[in-house]
Amino acid sequence: MKFPFHKKVLTEEETTQLALVIAETLKQGDVIVLNGNLGAGKTFFIKQILKKFDFSEVNSPTFAIVNEYRQENNFYHFDFYRIEKREELLDIGYYDYLNDPDSIIFIEWGNLHPDLLPSKRIEVNIIMLNDTE
């Protein structure tokens, strides 16, 4: 897969297929930032990727700020939606997570705190065209 690219998906199945294609490209040290309106499918997309790595219990970390999934690789799943001050992230060791070379990191709502995002990242921008696209 060559980045950047645009892909229009019409169903959850097509979203799942796209997530699986992206999952095949991921490697340790990658940071994937997902942006989109509430209900656009950011968490669903991450769930599909993590299923590829044998994680079945994946939830949005909206209130926890970060969820950790550990096996052979470490996966950290952040949600910036409720973050009001950058100190909230710094207090939980955000940069320690980013500096874990053995991890793959997902960040939902990264556009809310762009100053905290690493310069090297994959951005997935989900745009709802209507109720199903």
Side-chain angles (χ1 to χ4, degrees):
M1 171 170 291
K2 186 172 179 164
F3 295 103
F5 75 94
H6 296 271
K7 175 75 173 162
K8 184 176 184 178
V9 296
L10 303 174
T11 65
E12 283 187 357
E13 179 58 34
E14 288 179 9
T15 302
T16 297
Q17 291 306 312
L18 179 58
L20 294 176
V21 168
I22 288 177
E24 291 291 330
T25 71
L26 296 179
K27 60 189 178 313
Q28 292 175 327
D30 282 345
V31 176
I32 302 89
V33 178
L34 293 100
N35 300 308
N37 291 339
L38 198 60
K42 297 176 294 298
T43 302
F44 178 81
F45 195 81
I46 294 168
K47 283 181 181 184
Q48 301 315 302
I49 290 174
L50 288 177
K51 278 184 185 177
K52 172 79 173 146
F53 295 96
D54 296 323
F55 293 101
S56 58
E57 296 295 320
V58 176
N59 299 301
S60 174
T62 300
F63 295 100
I65 301 175
V66 62
N67 288 341
E68 299 181 11
Y69 304 97
R70 297 177 184 265
Q71 282 183 354
E72 186 175 314
N73 294 312
N74 297 327
F75 294 88
Y76 304 123
H77 178 187
F78 286 87
D79 189 325
F80 285 8
Y81 186 71
R82 296 198 182 277
I83 301 296
E84 293 182 20
K85 298 178 189 168
R86 64 183 286 135
E87 288 75 20
E88 294 175 70
L89 285 167
L90 301 179
D91 287 346
I92 64 165
Y94 174 69
Y95 288 115
D96 292 333
Y97 286 103
L98 283 182
N99 290 320
D100 179 351
D102 299 325
S103 70
I104 295 173
I105 298 173
F106 299 97
I107 302 172
E108 292 188 47
W109 295 96
N111 57 310
L112 296 179
H113 295 281
D115 57 314
L116 292 172
L117 299 176
S119 59
K120 184 180 178 205
R121 62 184 182 261
I122 298 168
E123 281 206 32
V124 177
N125 295 299
I126 302 173
I127 301 166
M128 294 292 294
L129 302 176
N130 59 44
D131 288 344
T132 61
E133 297 180 280

